[in-house]
Amino acid sequence: MALSAEEKRRFLRALEEDEEFRLAVAGLLGLDEILKELRRLREDFTTFVKAEEERWRENEKRWEENWRRWEENERRWQENEKRWEENEKRWQEAYRRFEAIEEELRRLREDFTTFVKMEEERWRENNKRWEENWKRWEENNKRWEEANRRFSRIEETLGALSESFYSWRVWEDLKEELRARGEEAVRRVRNAKVDDVDVDLLVETGNRAYVVEIKIRPRVEDVGALLAKAEVVAARLGKEAVPVLAGAWIGDDVEKYARSKGVSVYSY
């Protein structure tokens, strides 16, 4: 049965406006499963779209983060580029300085080599001079030793002569004093030895022993040594010991000290 134009319009309007009617018609036409499948597809598509939107938002966030990172990296690269340019300038300056230092070291090495050669030559010359001076010193040392030996012999000779002379002078003076005191010498010994004690001149009388110490230039400590010798002689001989100091240059301090200790002083 054919529909009129008005019925067709009404039918189409009912399909558009009445969903229940539209579904009923679709069921009659066998479109119910198709609609269900389309509905499922629409739901899956909606889920897919939402998932894609979520992924897109996440990717957009990631892209924004990556973009920020790229911008940060770009900024760092620019900073590093500037640093590299500055470092390049510094390296070039350092290289120029290194070349200047290397040139200076080369000149210093040449100067040092020249200096070493000059010093080696000077050392050889000085070594020769030192050897010559050493030989001269050895010769002078031998001469000095010989002169010293001669001087020692002369000194010993003069000492012996001086001691002999002063012993004679002391004996002459002492002999007069003994005569004036009514004493007479019973023994006179030069370079006497009493109990391992050396006495330059020992003069004995009946009651006394005169212990004479002869020094060209006596010192204070010589007075003490003389007193010690007098004590040894007195103990050994059992007589009064009279210490006597004789010399050529007797200082005032030595003479005063000797006399204060009861020592007779003969100065010549």
Side-chain angles (χ1 to χ4, degrees):
M1 178 177 79
L3 297 176
S4 64
E6 179 63 24
E7 288 175 342
K8 291 179 180 179
R9 283 193 299 273
R10 290 175 61 191
F11 181 77
L12 293 173
R13 185 180 299 112
L15 288 175
E16 292 177 355
E17 296 177 355
D18 191 343
E19 183 177 1
E20 184 178 354
F21 177 73
R22 185 169 58 252
L23 293 174
V25 174
L28 292 174
L29 296 175
L31 297 176
D32 186 43
E33 293 297 326
I34 295 174
L35 291 174
K36 290 180 181 179
E37 183 66 22
L38 288 175
R39 191 177 293 110
R40 287 194 298 271
L41 290 174
R42 185 182 295 110
E43 291 175 355
D44 293 341
F45 179 75
T46 302
T47 303
F48 171 77
V49 169
K50 290 181 180 179
E52 288 300 314
E53 287 178 350
E54 184 66 24
R55 291 175 185 173
W56 174 260
R57 283 192 293 272
E58 291 179 358
N59 290 332
E60 188 175 8
K61 290 179 181 179
R62 292 176 182 174
W63 274 104
E64 289 178 354
E65 292 177 359
N66 291 333
W67 182 256
R68 286 193 297 271
R69 291 176 182 174
W70 275 105
E71 288 180 343
E72 181 66 21
N73 291 333
E74 179 67 18
R75 184 180 62 78
R76 292 179 180 177
W77 274 105
Q78 291 177 357
E79 292 177 355
N80 291 332
E81 184 68 21
K82 292 179 181 179
R83 291 175 182 174
W84 274 106
E85 291 177 354
E86 294 176 355
N87 290 333
E88 181 67 20
K89 293 179 180 178
R90 292 176 182 173
W91 273 107
Q92 292 177 356
E93 180 64 24
Y95 186 75
R96 286 193 295 271
R97 293 181 180 178
F98 179 78
E99 288 181 339
I101 292 172
E102 190 176 38
E103 179 64 22
E104 183 65 21
L105 286 174
R106 186 187 62 79
R107 289 196 297 269
L108 289 174
R109 189 181 298 110
E110 293 176 354
D111 294 342
F112 180 74
T113 302
T114 303
F115 171 77
V116 168
K117 291 180 180 179
M118 293 175 61
E119 287 300 312
E120 287 178 350
E121 184 63 25
R122 291 177 183 173
W123 174 258
R124 285 191 292 270
E125 293 178 358
N126 290 333
N127 192 38
K128 290 179 181 179
R129 293 175 183 174
W130 175 258
E131 290 178 353
E132 293 175 356
N133 291 332
W134 180 258
K135 291 179 181 179
R136 292 175 183 174
W137 184 85
E138 287 181 339
E139 293 175 357
N140 291 332
N141 190 45
K142 291 179 181 178
R143 293 173 183 173
W144 171 257
E145 289 178 353
E146 180 63 24
N148 193 38
R149 284 193 295 270
R150 291 180 180 178
F151 180 76
S152 296
R153 288 195 295 269
I154 292 172
E155 190 177 40
E156 290 174 359
T157 302
L158 288 175
L161 291 173
S162 298
E163 185 176 332
S164 178
F165 171 75
Y166 287 116
S167 294
W168 174 75
R169 288 296 306 273
V170 171
W171 165 245
E172 291 295 326
D173 292 340
L174 188 58
K175 185 168 56 175
E176 294 296 328
E177 289 188 14
L178 293 177
R179 187 178 298 113
R181 295 174 184 173
E183 293 184 83
E184 183 178 354
V186 297
R187 187 166 72 118
R188 176 170 64 92
V189 182
R190 283 193 61 235
N191 298 323
K193 199 170 190 67
V194 180
D195 290 347
D196 296 329
V197 173
D198 295 325
V199 179
D200 294 335
L201 177 63
L202 178 62
V203 178
E204 285 188 65
T205 65
N207 301 321
R208 293 185 179 86
Y210 293 85
V211 181
V212 181
E213 182 77 11
I214 299 173
K215 296 288 185 182
I216 300 298
R217 191 189 297 271
R219 296 172 298 179
V220 173
E221 50 266 31
D222 294 327
V223 177
L226 173 59
L227 294 172
K229 290 180 180 181
E231 291 179 0
V232 173
V233 171
R236 181 68 177 83
L237 300 180
K239 296 179 179 181
E240 178 187 356
V242 180
V244 178
L245 179 65
W249 294 287
I250 303 177
D252 292 340
D253 55 338
V254 176
E255 184 174 356
K256 289 179 181 179
Y257 177 72
R259 293 188 185 280
S260 67
K261 295 297 182 179
V263 177
S264 299
V265 177
Y266 292 85
S267 180
Y268 301 100

